[in-house]
Structure formats: C-alpha cells, structure tokens
C-alpha cells in the first residue's frame, strides 16, 4: 500500500534515474493529455509531497501523479523487460537513452504548469518526510477538532501529509486506543507522542520500500502489529485481531480489543 514512505522512495528512484537527462520518449495515456509531447525536454527533478509526486520538466511543466491504493512507478533499464503489469494498466511512460519510467494504474495523472503546483498540493499539512517538517504545526492541526476520531485525524492529509491506512492502524495500536476514540479523549501528551512516532517511523521506513517495519522484533514475519492480521493473535496479549471495513478499502481498520481501549464497531465475522 503506497504511503508517504513508499512515495518518498519512488521519487528518489525516479529522480536518480531520470533527473538531468533529456526525455527521448513520452507517452501519457490519459485522454486529456494524450497528445502532450515532452520529448526533447530535460527532466529536472522528482519531488515527493506527502503522497503526491511532482515530476518537474523543462519549460515550466510538472507531471503530477498520485498512487492512491494501487498505483506504482517502475524504473527499468532501456533494454529491460517491463514487469509492473499488463499493458492496458500503463498510464505514463517517460524514457531517456538509459532508463524508462513506467506508471501503472495511476488514478491521478495530470500535466500542469509548475507555478500551479499549489493548486494540487497547497492544501496539504506538514510533510512527515519533507524538508519543511513542522512538528508543532502538525500537532496543532491533528488536535484542532477534539471530537474527531483519531483515525480520521491521522488520515486527513491536511493535518499530516504522508500517513495512510497502515500507519493509522499501527499508530493507534501503539497508543493503545482504537481509531474511533475522539482526539480530545487521548491522555495528555499522547497526541504529541503519536505525531513524533509517525515522523520517526516514516523516516525509518522510507528506504525499505516493501519491507516496512513497525515492530521492534527482527523476525521477518512480524513487521506489523495489527494491519492485515485479522483473527491472528495479538503479539502483546494473544487476543485475536479485529477488522472493520468502513465502506472503502482505504478505510479498513485493524485493532486489538484486548490492548486498545475506546469505542469500536462490531468486528467482521471470522472467515474460513
């Protein structure tokens, strides 16, 4: 699941392969920009902003993309076979003489003026992996609505840019409260610790890509405390982990009813 750490590493890989080089291939497979031709322009840099990617191109242009749930950018050597998915899932191709970047299943892909970047990322809160990270402002935003459930506040990119569903569930577990507990009911000091922990975990995981780890054990089968572990025993207390799908995939919640206090919906029935 692409979250802020995944997007950060994706940006670095794209930047390392393509920045400062001339585009020799350009193919944007979305109707609005299908006729756009970026060949002959230098790709200047690739910058992450929360869960957004800003690929800046000579001539004052930015290719803005967002991975959401299933999107991915893959980088291949010029003679390497593409393996990120079937051809009909490709939404963008950017190539140089040495590398090709292929965007698969990108739900958001648009070509904008670089000067218009604030129109797509200006609403975001402090970026957990950005050079302008502001801890105090992040805490202020998260706590601005005391009645708001913790999970909603963490997922709101206007509060913190970069947290997705995995971190939401894991952070709530670390705080020993459910994702539905109102922010205002957290014990004193816990919101600050949550924000600091979010920053620390994303920093620690930003170069791991698909090896994201929240737990402190070295066991490769114990990377996460609750996410994706429905009906499996909690590592702390042994209680089976519960899951609730709140109408959208990105709103799935996992929690331990033995370790986490606070309101919670009825769990989903066990599966075979």
């Amino acid at each position: 699941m692409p979250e802020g750490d995944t997007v950060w590493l994706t940006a670095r890989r794209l930047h390392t392969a393509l920045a400062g080089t001339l585009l020799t291939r350009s193919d944007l497979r979305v109707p609005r920009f299908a006729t756009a031709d970026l060949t002959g322009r230098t790709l200047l840099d690739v910058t992450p902003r929360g869960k957004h990617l800003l690929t800046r191109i000579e001539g004052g242009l930015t290719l803005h993309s967002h991975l959401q749930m299933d999107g991915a950018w893959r980088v291949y050597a010029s003679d390497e076979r593409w393996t990120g998915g079937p051809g009909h899932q490709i939404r963008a191709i950017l190539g140089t003489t040495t590398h090709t970047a292929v965007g698969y299943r990108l739900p958001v892909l648009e070509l904008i003026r670089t000067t218009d970047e604030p129109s797509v990322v200006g609403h975001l809160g402090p970026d957990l992996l950005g050079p302008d990270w502001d801890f105090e402002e992040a805490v202020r935003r998260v706590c601005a609505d005391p009645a708001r459930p913790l999970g909603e506040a963490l997922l709101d990119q206007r509060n913190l840019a970069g947290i997705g569903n995995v971190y939401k569930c894991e952070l709530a577990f670390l705080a020993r409260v459910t994702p539905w507990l109102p922010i205002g009911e957290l014990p004193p000091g816990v919101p600050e610790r949550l924000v600091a922990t979010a920053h620390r975990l994303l920093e620690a995981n930003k170069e791991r890509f698909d090896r994201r780890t929240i737990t402190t054990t070295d066991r490769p089968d114990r990377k996460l405390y609750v996410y994706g572990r429905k009906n499996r025993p909690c590592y702390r207390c042994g209680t089976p982990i519960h899951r609730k799908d709140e109408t959208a995939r990105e709103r799935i919640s996992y929690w331990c009813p033995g370790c986490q206090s606070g309101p919670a919906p009825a769990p989903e029935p066990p599966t075979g």
Side-chain angles (χ1 to χ4, degrees):
M1 176 175 296
E3 304 206 17
D5 48 6
T6 303
V7 174
W8 184 93
L9 186 54
T10 298
R12 193 179 74 169
R13 291 179 172 178
L14 289 168
H15 183 89
T16 299
L18 304 177
T21 58
L22 201 69
L23 291 174
T24 57
R25 182 173 183 181
S26 164
D27 186 359
L28 305 183
R29 299 182 180 179
V30 293
R32 184 180 175 188
F33 303 105
T35 60
D37 184 7
L38 302 174
T39 57
R41 298 173 185 255
T42 298
L43 192 149
L44 303 176
D45 69 79
V46 183
T47 297
R49 183 73 174 90
K51 294 198 269 185
H52 298 253
L53 282 165
L54 303 172
T55 302
R56 298 180 180 120
I57 299 163
E58 179 185 13
L61 297 176
T62 294
L63 186 64
H64 167 234
S65 58
H66 194 297
L67 306 183
Q68 290 190 6
M69 293 294 293
D70 301 313
W73 279 97
R74 303 286 187 237
V75 177
Y76 304 98
S78 56
D79 59 349
E80 188 178 359
R81 180 172 172 267
W82 302 352
T83 57
H88 71 268
Q89 293 182 349
I90 295 174
R91 296 293 177 265
I93 303 171
L94 298 175
T96 69
T97 57
T98 58
H99 292 89
T100 302
V102 184
Y104 293 91
R105 302 171 298 278
L106 299 174
V108 176
L109 184 71
E110 57 182 340
L111 190 63
I112 62 175
R113 305 298 302 182
T114 301
T115 53
D116 291 335
E117 286 180 6
S119 68
V120 294
V121 296
H123 66 288
L124 298 176
D127 187 343
L128 284 153
L129 294 177
D132 57 348
W133 166 243
D134 188 331
F135 170 77
E136 288 77 14
E137 177 62 14
V139 172
R140 186 193 69 78
R141 293 190 182 209
V142 167
C143 297
D145 182 357
R148 195 173 194 189
L150 171 64
E152 287 185 15
L154 291 176
L155 285 176
D156 191 338
Q157 300 300 295
R158 296 170 298 181
N159 294 339
L160 292 170
I163 287 183
N165 208 43
V166 176
Y167 281 107
K168 176 204 78 175
C169 296
E170 295 293 305
L171 287 166
F173 177 82
L174 291 172
R176 294 182 177 267
V177 298
T178 67
W180 300 277
L181 184 74
I183 284 285
E185 295 183 25
L186 288 171
V190 171
E192 290 82 358
R193 288 199 297 272
L194 275 173
V195 171
T197 300
H199 183 233
R200 175 178 59 81
L201 289 174
L202 264 77
E203 280 285 350
N205 283 305
K206 68 182 184 182
E207 299 194 42
R208 293 175 178 168
F209 209 64
D210 58 351
R211 297 179 291 110
R212 179 185 296 131
T213 302
I214 306 297
T215 64
T216 56
T217 178
D218 292 330
R219 290 182 55 171
D221 61 333
R222 292 194 173 190
K223 295 180 179 180
L224 303 175
Y225 287 108
V226 292
Y227 190 85
R229 302 191 62 246
K230 178 184 176 182
N231 296 329
R232 298 178 186 176
C234 172
Y235 298 140
R236 282 179 176 164
C237 71
T239 302
I241 300 299
H242 287 189
R243 163 183 148 151
K244 182 64 177 179
D245 187 345
E246 300 173 85
T247 72
R249 287 180 62 194
E250 65 270 23
R251 293 298 182 264
I252 293 174
S253 290
Y254 294 87
W255 75 101
C256 171
C259 291
Q260 295 173 253
S261 62
E268 295 179 354
T271 56

